[in-house]
Amino acid sequence: MDLVDLSNKPKILKKLEKDGVRNVLFTDCLKQRDESIKKLVPMVLEIIETSNRFNREENRNYCLMVIGVPNVGKSSLINSLRRTNLKKGRASRVGGEPGITKAVLTKIQVSERPLMYLLDTPGVLPPKIESVETGMKLALCGTILDHLVGEDVIADYLLFSLNRLGQFSYVEKYDLQEPSDDIQHVLKRIAVKLGKTQRVKAITGVGNITVTIPNYTAAAYNFIRAFRKGELGQVMLD
């Protein structure tokens, strides 16, 4: 929840409840100690024991699977549970891009009493994304590898979203004079400010020359990363 505007919490809960999702916790796995993480094991235990499918009185240990879209923080959640309940270090590798977890790992203990294990899993997405805009939102949030969509395409959609929502913090951050809907202009300013340039050969009538031009791909990557790190303000993608 470190990247969420918590003023939208009631709206999020209402939407989840409409979709049949209850027992929701807002967690911040970057904190050394998070109160919601402490509530997770007791909540899961209660859900299991009150379920009609639970009929294993002779076996008091639990093994659960952690599922979610790519890059949502499944491995970070497991590591946070271990840190909170067992005072142990991380057991699952984490990273800022989708696809870090590539296979279902062995059982990872996250609690002693009750004895509870979790299985980390690769991220999953629906086999068919319902619309292009939904796909762009997923790409913007980092659930799809950037190069599969195109950094420039994602950056263009990000700029469109920021302008539509009136989030103009990028103007000051990248020394623009005013908001712009021209992604090439914005990326050029980002490249100049950050020194992201590249040298290319140009063929002329009198021979080849080397010129320095803005590195638009590097600028787009920086723009997208700034958004994902919360540096461009909180954005609610409905």
Side-chain angles (χ1 to χ4, degrees):
M1 68 181 184
D2 60 302
L3 296 178
V4 174
D5 181 355
L6 290 179
S7 66
N8 289 309
K9 188 174 179 179
K11 185 178 179 181
I12 295 170
L13 289 171
K14 186 176 181 180
K15 175 66 167 64
L16 289 172
E17 186 175 358
K18 183 180 178 182
D19 293 341
V21 179
R22 295 177 177 81
N23 302 304
V24 178
L25 288 176
F26 286 73
T27 63
D28 184 352
C29 297
L30 297 180
K31 286 184 178 179
Q32 284 299 312
R33 297 183 66 83
D34 180 59
E35 291 301 315
S36 291
I37 291 292
K38 294 180 182 178
K39 300 175 183 176
L40 189 53
V41 170
M43 176 183 283
V44 169
L45 197 62
E46 181 181 356
I47 293 170
I48 294 173
E49 293 188 337
T50 56
S51 169
N52 294 329
R53 294 174 294 177
F54 183 72
N55 187 23
R56 295 174 54 200
E57 289 300 322
E58 75 287 353
N59 192 344
R60 303 303 296 175
N61 62 63
Y62 306 88
C63 184
L64 297 92
M65 184 177 290
V66 181
I67 62 171
V69 298
N71 203 30
V72 76
K74 298 180 292 296
S75 299
S76 296
L77 177 65
I78 290 176
N79 292 333
S80 184
L81 283 165
R82 281 176 59 81
R83 186 170 62 243
T84 300
N85 297 324
L86 300 176
K87 307 297 186 288
K88 299 287 187 181
R90 72 182 192 182
S92 287
R93 185 171 162 235
V94 299
E97 62 181 38
I100 296 297
T101 304
K102 298 184 183 300
V104 177
L105 303 178
T106 55
K107 294 193 302 184
I108 301 171
Q109 185 179 351
V110 295
S111 174
E112 183 69 38
R113 295 182 180 178
L115 187 57
M116 186 174 290
Y117 300 89
L118 295 185
L119 291 173
D120 200 0
T121 65
V124 291
L125 286 171
K128 183 178 180 181
I129 297 174
E130 61 187 39
S131 68
V132 172
E133 185 165 11
T134 298
M136 290 306 304
K137 289 175 181 176
L138 289 170
L140 186 54
C141 293
T143 65
I144 302 171
L145 288 170
D146 291 345
H147 72 269
L148 297 178
V149 179
E151 287 87 350
D152 55 335
V153 176
I154 299 174
D156 196 9
Y157 181 75
L158 171 58
L159 181 63
F160 163 76
S161 298
L162 292 173
N163 288 336
R164 180 171 60 87
L165 297 169
Q167 292 277 9
F168 302 123
S169 57
Y170 72 89
V171 175
E172 180 179 354
K173 180 175 177 62
Y174 297 115
D175 296 337
L176 275 71
Q177 292 184 344
E178 59 185 1
S180 172
D181 60 3
D182 183 348
I183 188 61
Q184 293 299 316
H185 170 69
V186 172
L187 292 182
K188 184 176 181 179
R189 293 301 308 161
I190 294 173
V192 170
K193 178 177 175 60
L194 301 179
K196 302 292 185 181
T197 58
Q198 57 186 346
R199 295 171 66 81
V200 298
K201 284 186 178 181
I203 301 175
T204 70
V206 294
N208 297 346
I209 62 172
T210 301
V211 297
T212 301
I213 63 172
N215 189 329
Y216 289 99
T217 300
Y221 177 78
N222 181 275
F223 190 37
I224 296 164
R225 290 284 293 176
F227 165 75
R228 291 174 183 165
K229 291 166 66 176
E231 296 175 2
L232 300 180
Q234 303 285 359
V235 176
M236 183 72 173
L237 296 173
D238 291 331

